[in-house]
Amino acid sequence: MEFLVRFEINQPESMTQDERERLRTIERARAMELREQGILKRLWRIPGRRAVVGLWDTVDATALHEALASLPMFPWMDVHVEALATHPQEM
Amino acid sequence: MEFLVRFEINQPESMTQDERERLRTIERARAMELREQGILKRLWRIPGRRAVVGLWDTVDATALHEALASLPMFPWMDVHVEALATHPQEM
Amino acid sequence: MEFLVRFEINQPESMTQDERERLRTIERARAMELREQGILKRLWRIPGRRAVVGLWDTVDATALHEALASLPMFPWMDVHVEALATHPQEM
Amino acid sequence: MEFLVRFEINQPESMTQDERERLRTIERARAMELREQGILKRLWRIPGRRAVVGLWDTVDATALHEALASLPMFPWMDVHVEALATHPQEM
Amino acid sequence: MEFLVRFEINQPESMTQDERERLRTIERARAMELREQGILKRLWRIPGRRAVVGLWDTVDATALHEALASLPMFPWMDVHVEALATHPQEM
Amino acid sequence: MEFLVRFEINQPESMTQDERERLRTIERARAMELREQGILKRLWRIPGRRAVVGLWDTVDATALHEALASLPMFPWMDVHVEALATHPQEM
Amino acid sequence: MEFLVRFEINQPESMTQDERERLRTIERARAMELREQGILKRLWRIPGRRAVVGLWDTVDATALHEALASLPMFPWMDVHVEALATHPQEM
Amino acid sequence: MEFLVRFEINQPESMTQDERERLRTIERARAMELREQGILKRLWRIPGRRAVVGLWDTVDATALHEALASLPMFPWMDVHVEALATHPQEM
Amino acid sequence: MEFLVRFEINQPESMTQDERERLRTIERARAMELREQGILKRLWRIPGRRAVVGLWDTVDATALHEALASLPMFPWMDVHVEALATHPQEM
Amino acid sequence: MEFLVRFEINQPESMTQDERERLRTIERARAMELREQGILKRLWRIPGRRAVVGLWDTVDATALHEALASLPMFPWMDVHVEALATHPQEM
């Protein structure tokens, strides 16, 4: 089942540049794993913001939550999830 | 997978009392079928409104849409769906 | 350039079933053309609503408007467009 | 009387991991007591968020407030309560 | 249990002056009955609007819905209900 | 003239328990004075929140502001005021 | 006591030009009376809209409602009222 | 002084195609006059909507209102105006 | 040209009482100058809030911005400006 | 392709006056480069706010994001982007 997931990342001012860099690296690695598992299908950036929209595919909302919570930046992410149904033209 | 579904019914002023009655009867019958299939688990009324919140259980959002669209009052329903994940305390 | 396009269809109560059917048929035909041209890439249904989210790809917002306005149901569509930037992980 | 209660937990960045762990343990214990008393009937997680929706059953809103305020994480919870009426189909 | 109930009345343009008058009379009579039963405790008018805020007292939200639905103008009322808890200073 | 006044109290994390206790005591004392003067007529708690709705009665909005600003917790209160007109049924 | 009153006028499409003209004339006459009584102190137009903001002065919200309801266009006005307190610099 | 003006056109379903065409022609003619007078400086279309954003330049908000009200489609336009100040980099 | 200007003052918790007092004094002095220049015409307090609505009169939005930015409390002010057109009844 | 870009700058209280000055200087220099490249076409100030609206012209939303992210103040900017289509009157 597909979900449209929108999130914005709000890291505290006090986080060091090194810590930000380290998080970016492991975030990217984890995202790659989720892509290989077919869970994360596409990501787009919202222009001008530290925000992304993504297309995710999991068996249900519980599995989606686990996938999102496995991202290293999850503690600083403000996430909104929208459940998608298949459109008749896509069948 | 469970969904919290909120809908409000807005029938046109011009609908006759008979038509309203007829719709109410077949709506109830269809709801009963959905309950027997384990798809519709609970309904609550929002006090003061022609609106309900319900707990639905389908395999995914596509099946949920089909169940909702099978309701006779669907053409007059303004529906909002919220995907629910299992809470760790419920496992 | 990709756009996330969300629209809801609000046809008047007075429209006949025949007219609705005719519109659905030509809408579907036009959508197929836009898919073949690579303009309309994906459509999803918002569960419980006469609404869809779609992924569109045009050279700019002017071309997107023309594509949307070419849909037979356009006069009854309430459309919201969101411009998408490429995510660094997609490059 | 049943209530739909939605809350989000916003603990300060400065809270230690130990304190978070300790709170989670006693929160869970208190929730279990409320379940045994028939006050807390169901909890769901909002996917992607530190937020839950729950179904609560108390004699009135005053008793509901007392139950919510008895949760150890209450000082960091942003709570919204919705009163539910019985749906005719449930009678 | 007390509830703060806010409603706005939207009668159709086409309703005759006579019908409006008749409704106002029976609305007032029904409101008086609800006051005598201790269900409707106070009403205020929102200045400049066909809207009122009221203080209602029923055993639960189901009884509140029944009281509201018994008002002759209920079909044209847009109602919002807020559950109230007793304030410690009032005990 | 009556006003419906809604406020939420947001004290900083850094405030000590003693200071909170001291404020609660003098807040309560000041509220009692306002009740005796007929200015504060009723208070209700919004369930689940550090928020209250109250019914206040002052000669005008300037006097209401002075009454609210005399509360010891005023610097941490987020206040919204709604002017109420007398309902014809109350006359 | 002063109030900031904002209203928008929404007359039905079906109203004739003559009826609109007649309403405009008697509306203006009534507004002039309210100015002479010191109740209506200033009116501004919101540019681009059939909407106005006005400064009104009545003894309380009940008197304000009566003044507003005495306007011939009142049945088509969507009104929002904001109670104003005297600013210390104005005393 | 410049203003950012956003409007959406909502013509009734019942308007004939001929009347729409006639309005479009005279609207365009009036817009051209406003451009020649330096009042209307730019127009953009909001993709997917019967809406435009425009840059207007008038001596004040009163002159802006007169310019907008001189458009033949004004009775069906829902207009929002935003006053713009000169940016220091533009001086 | 007149503007309706609404602002709320949010000074940080850490600001000393002395600094607040000093700011209040020079704010008042600057406001008096703006009144004498005919720029600031009226101020009202929003009851219950550290917020004011004011009527300002400047040649355009650029001059208004300069007047607002000249207030000593400007760095802590959250300002919303609404351009006003002259109402026909005022001419 | 043109975009309407709105942003507000929220620098932390703790930033020194020197740092602010330094940022303003390099921000201005970078903006000038973007103007020379034809990317930044116009900027307006929202009166009363540390906010601007601008007209930007880039090949797509990805290029727009890069231009915005190249501004030295980008980390403290809250940005909203609106894609613009060419209006038929402008062709």
Side-chain angles (χ1 to χ4, degrees):
Chain A
M1 173 184 168
E2 288 177 313
F3 294 90
L4 202 62
V5 178
R6 195 174 290 264
F7 56 77
E8 183 118 14
I9 300 176
N10 300 297
Q11 291 167 324
E13 282 280 325
S14 61
M15 191 180 276
T16 63
Q17 205 53 41
D18 273 13
E19 178 60 5
R20 278 171 215 260
E21 208 54 70
R22 193 185 67 83
L23 273 169
R24 201 158 15 222
T25 307
I26 58 175
E27 176 84 5
R28 194 175 177 109
R30 180 66 190 129
M32 286 303 155
E33 286 172 10
L34 292 170
R35 281 173 194 263
E36 276 153 32
Q37 294 165 22
I39 289 174
L40 172 51
K41 293 169 88 168
R42 277 294 302 278
L43 279 186
W44 298 270
R45 192 200 280 280
I46 307 294
R49 303 191 69 81
R50 296 214 52 202
V52 301
V53 184
L55 182 63
W56 298 68
D57 192 344
T58 57
V59 68
D60 60 16
T62 306
L64 176 68
H65 182 80
E66 277 158 24
L68 289 165
S70 77
L71 289 169
M73 288 202 194
F74 183 70
W76 299 278
M77 281 163 46
D78 182 34
V79 182
H80 289 92
V81 164
E82 190 174 14
L84 298 171
T86 305
H87 191 276
Q89 290 179 14
E90 301 277 348
M91 297 193 204
Chain B
M1 170 183 169
E2 288 177 312
F3 294 90
L4 201 61
V5 178
R6 193 175 293 261
F7 57 78
E8 183 117 15
I9 300 176
N10 300 298
Q11 292 168 324
E13 283 278 327
S14 61
M15 189 178 278
T16 63
Q17 205 53 40
D18 273 12
E19 179 61 6
R20 277 171 215 261
E21 206 56 65
R22 193 187 66 85
L23 274 168
R24 201 158 14 220
T25 308
I26 59 175
E27 176 85 4
R28 193 174 177 112
R30 181 64 190 132
M32 286 303 155
E33 286 171 13
L34 292 169
R35 282 174 192 263
E36 274 153 32
Q37 294 164 22
I39 289 173
L40 172 50
K41 294 169 88 168
R42 278 295 301 278
L43 280 186
W44 298 269
R45 193 200 280 280
I46 307 294
R49 303 191 70 80
R50 293 214 55 201
V52 301
V53 185
L55 182 64
W56 298 67
D57 192 344
T58 58
V59 67
D60 60 16
T62 306
L64 175 68
H65 182 81
E66 277 157 26
L68 289 165
S70 76
L71 289 170
M73 289 202 195
F74 182 70
W76 300 279
M77 280 163 45
D78 183 36
V79 182
H80 288 93
V81 164
E82 190 173 14
L84 298 173
T86 306
H87 191 278
Q89 290 177 16
E90 300 278 346
M91 294 193 207
Chain C
M1 171 184 169
E2 288 177 312
F3 294 91
L4 201 62
V5 178
R6 193 175 293 263
F7 58 78
E8 184 117 14
I9 299 176
N10 300 297
Q11 292 168 322
E13 282 279 326
S14 60
M15 190 179 277
T16 64
Q17 205 52 43
D18 274 12
E19 179 61 6
R20 277 171 216 260
E21 207 54 67
R22 193 186 68 84
L23 273 169
R24 200 155 18 217
T25 308
I26 58 175
E27 176 84 5
R28 192 173 177 112
R30 180 63 190 132
M32 286 303 155
E33 287 172 11
L34 292 169
R35 281 175 194 262
E36 276 153 32
Q37 294 164 21
I39 289 174
L40 172 50
K41 295 169 87 168
R42 278 293 303 277
L43 280 186
W44 298 269
R45 194 201 278 281
I46 307 293
R49 304 190 69 80
R50 294 214 53 201
V52 301
V53 185
L55 182 64
W56 298 67
D57 192 345
T58 57
V59 66
D60 60 15
T62 306
L64 175 68
H65 182 80
E66 277 158 25
L68 289 165
S70 76
L71 290 170
M73 289 203 195
F74 183 70
W76 300 279
M77 280 163 44
D78 183 35
V79 183
H80 288 93
V81 165
E82 189 173 17
L84 297 173
T86 306
H87 191 277
Q89 289 178 16
E90 301 277 346
M91 295 194 209
Chain D
M1 172 183 168
E2 287 177 313
F3 295 90
L4 202 61
V5 178
R6 194 175 291 264
F7 57 77
E8 184 117 13
I9 299 175
N10 300 297
Q11 291 168 323
E13 283 280 325
S14 60
M15 190 180 277
T16 64
Q17 206 52 42
D18 273 13
E19 179 60 6
R20 278 171 214 261
E21 208 55 69
R22 192 185 67 84
L23 273 169
R24 202 158 15 222
T25 308
I26 59 175
E27 177 83 4
R28 194 174 177 110
R30 180 65 190 131
M32 286 304 154
E33 286 172 10
L34 292 169
R35 282 174 193 262
E36 276 153 32
Q37 294 165 21
I39 289 174
L40 171 52
K41 293 169 88 169
R42 278 294 303 276
L43 279 186
W44 297 270
R45 192 199 281 280
I46 306 295
R49 302 191 70 82
R50 295 213 53 201
V52 301
V53 185
L55 182 63
W56 297 68
D57 193 344
T58 57
V59 67
D60 60 16
T62 306
L64 176 68
H65 182 81
E66 277 158 25
L68 289 164
S70 76
L71 290 169
M73 288 202 195
F74 183 70
W76 300 279
M77 280 163 46
D78 183 35
V79 182
H80 289 92
V81 165
E82 190 174 14
L84 299 172
T86 306
H87 191 277
Q89 289 178 17
E90 301 277 347
M91 296 192 205
Chain E
M1 169 183 170
E2 288 177 312
F3 294 91
L4 201 62
V5 178
R6 192 174 293 261
F7 57 78
E8 183 117 14
I9 299 176
N10 300 298
Q11 292 169 323
E13 282 280 325
S14 61
M15 190 179 278
T16 63
Q17 205 52 43
D18 274 13
E19 179 61 5
R20 279 172 214 259
E21 207 55 66
R22 192 186 67 84
L23 273 169
R24 199 157 17 220
T25 308
I26 58 175
E27 177 85 5
R28 193 174 177 111
R30 180 64 190 130
M32 285 304 154
E33 286 172 11
L34 293 169
R35 282 174 193 262
E36 275 154 31
Q37 294 164 21
I39 289 173
L40 171 50
K41 293 169 89 168
R42 277 295 301 277
L43 280 186
W44 298 268
R45 195 200 278 281
I46 307 293
R49 303 191 70 81
R50 293 213 55 201
V52 301
V53 185
L55 182 65
W56 299 67
D57 192 344
T58 57
V59 66
D60 60 17
T62 306
L64 176 67
H65 182 80
E66 277 158 26
L68 289 165
S70 77
L71 290 169
M73 289 203 194
F74 183 69
W76 300 279
M77 279 163 44
D78 183 35
V79 182
H80 289 93
V81 165
E82 189 173 16
L84 299 172
T86 305
H87 191 278
Q89 290 177 15
E90 301 276 347
M91 294 192 208
Chain F
M1 171 183 170
E2 287 177 312
F3 294 90
L4 202 60
V5 178
R6 194 174 293 264
F7 56 78
E8 184 117 14
I9 300 176
N10 299 297
Q11 291 168 322
E13 281 280 326
S14 60
M15 190 180 277
T16 63
Q17 205 53 43
D18 273 14
E19 179 60 4
R20 279 171 214 260
E21 207 54 69
R22 191 185 68 83
L23 273 169
R24 201 157 16 222
T25 307
I26 59 175
E27 177 84 5
R28 193 175 178 110
R30 180 64 189 130
M32 286 302 155
E33 286 172 10
L34 292 169
R35 282 173 193 262
E36 276 154 31
Q37 295 164 22
I39 289 174
L40 171 52
K41 292 168 90 168
R42 278 294 303 276
L43 280 185
W44 297 270
R45 192 200 281 279
I46 306 294
R49 302 191 70 82
R50 295 214 53 201
V52 301
V53 185
L55 182 64
W56 298 68
D57 193 343
T58 57
V59 66
D60 60 16
T62 306
L64 176 68
H65 182 81
E66 277 158 23
L68 289 164
S70 76
L71 289 169
M73 289 201 194
F74 183 70
W76 300 278
M77 280 163 46
D78 183 35
V79 182
H80 288 91
V81 165
E82 191 173 15
L84 298 172
T86 305
H87 191 277
Q89 288 177 17
E90 301 277 347
M91 295 192 205
Chain G
M1 170 183 169
E2 288 178 312
F3 294 91
L4 202 61
V5 178
R6 193 173 293 261
F7 57 78
E8 184 117 14
I9 299 176
N10 300 298
Q11 292 168 324
E13 282 281 325
S14 61
M15 191 179 277
T16 64
Q17 206 51 43
D18 274 13
E19 179 60 6
R20 278 171 215 260
E21 208 53 68
R22 193 186 67 84
L23 273 169
R24 200 157 16 220
T25 308
I26 58 173
E27 176 85 5
R28 192 172 178 113
R30 180 64 190 132
M32 286 304 154
E33 285 172 12
L34 292 169
R35 281 174 194 261
E36 276 153 30
Q37 293 165 23
I39 288 174
L40 171 50
K41 293 169 88 168
R42 279 293 302 276
L43 279 186
W44 297 269
R45 194 200 278 280
I46 306 293
R49 303 191 70 80
R50 294 214 53 202
V52 300
V53 185
L55 182 64
W56 298 68
D57 192 344
T58 57
V59 67
D60 60 17
T62 306
L64 175 68
H65 182 80
E66 277 158 24
L68 290 164
S70 77
L71 290 169
M73 289 201 195
F74 183 69
W76 300 279
M77 280 164 44
D78 183 35
V79 182
H80 289 93
V81 164
E82 189 174 15
L84 298 172
T86 305
H87 191 278
Q89 289 177 16
E90 301 277 346
M91 293 193 208
Chain H
M1 169 182 170
E2 288 177 312
F3 295 90
L4 202 61
V5 177
R6 193 174 293 263
F7 58 78
E8 184 117 15
I9 299 176
N10 300 298
Q11 293 168 322
E13 282 281 323
S14 62
M15 190 179 276
T16 65
Q17 205 52 43
D18 274 12
E19 179 60 6
R20 279 170 214 262
E21 208 54 67
R22 193 185 67 84
L23 272 170
R24 201 157 16 221
T25 309
I26 58 175
E27 177 84 6
R28 194 175 176 109
R30 180 64 189 130
M32 286 303 155
E33 286 172 11
L34 292 169
R35 282 175 192 263
E36 276 154 30
Q37 294 164 22
I39 288 173
L40 172 50
K41 294 169 88 169
R42 279 293 303 277
L43 279 187
W44 297 268
R45 194 200 278 280
I46 306 295
R49 303 190 70 80
R50 295 215 52 201
V52 301
V53 185
L55 182 64
W56 298 68
D57 192 344
T58 57
V59 66
D60 60 17
T62 306
L64 175 68
H65 182 81
E66 277 158 23
L68 289 165
S70 77
L71 291 169
M73 288 202 196
F74 183 70
W76 300 280
M77 281 163 45
D78 183 35
V79 183
H80 288 94
V81 164
E82 189 173 15
L84 298 173
T86 306
H87 191 277
Q89 289 176 15
E90 301 278 346
M91 294 193 209
Chain I
M1 171 183 170
E2 287 177 313
F3 294 91
L4 201 60
V5 179
R6 193 175 292 264
F7 55 78
E8 183 118 15
I9 300 176
N10 300 299
Q11 291 168 323
E13 281 281 325
S14 60
M15 190 178 278
T16 63
Q17 205 52 42
D18 273 14
E19 179 59 7
R20 278 171 214 260
E21 206 55 68
R22 191 186 68 83
L23 274 169
R24 201 158 15 223
T25 307
I26 59 176
E27 177 83 5
R28 194 174 178 110
R30 179 63 189 132
M32 287 302 155
E33 285 172 11
L34 293 169
R35 282 174 192 261
E36 276 153 30
Q37 294 165 22
I39 289 173
L40 171 52
K41 292 168 88 168
R42 277 295 302 276
L43 280 187
W44 297 269
R45 192 200 280 280
I46 307 295
R49 303 191 70 81
R50 294 214 54 200
V52 300
V53 184
L55 182 64
W56 299 68
D57 192 343
T58 57
V59 67
D60 60 16
T62 307
L64 176 68
H65 182 81
E66 277 158 23
L68 289 165
S70 76
L71 290 170
M73 287 201 195
F74 183 70
W76 299 279
M77 279 163 47
D78 183 34
V79 182
H80 288 92
V81 164
E82 190 173 15
L84 298 172
T86 306
H87 192 278
Q89 289 179 16
E90 300 277 347
M91 296 191 204
Chain J
M1 172 183 168
E2 287 177 314
F3 293 92
L4 202 61
V5 179
R6 194 175 292 264
F7 56 77
E8 184 116 14
I9 300 176
N10 300 298
Q11 292 168 322
E13 282 280 325
S14 60
M15 191 179 277
T16 64
Q17 204 53 41
D18 273 12
E19 179 59 6
R20 278 171 214 260
E21 207 55 68
R22 191 186 68 83
L23 273 169
R24 203 162 9 225
T25 307
I26 60 175
E27 176 84 5
R28 194 174 177 110
R30 181 63 190 133
M32 286 302 154
E33 286 172 10
L34 292 169
R35 281 174 193 262
E36 276 153 32
Q37 294 164 22
I39 289 174
L40 171 51
K41 293 168 87 168
R42 278 294 302 276
L43 279 187
W44 297 270
R45 193 200 280 280
I46 307 294
R49 303 191 69 81
R50 295 214 53 200
V52 300
V53 184
L55 182 64
W56 298 69
D57 192 344
T58 58
V59 66
D60 61 15
T62 306
L64 175 69
H65 182 80
E66 277 158 23
L68 289 165
S70 77
L71 290 170
M73 288 201 194
F74 183 70
W76 299 278
M77 279 163 47
D78 182 36
V79 182
H80 289 92
V81 165
E82 190 173 14
L84 298 172
T86 305
H87 191 277
Q89 289 177 15
E90 302 277 347
M91 296 195 205

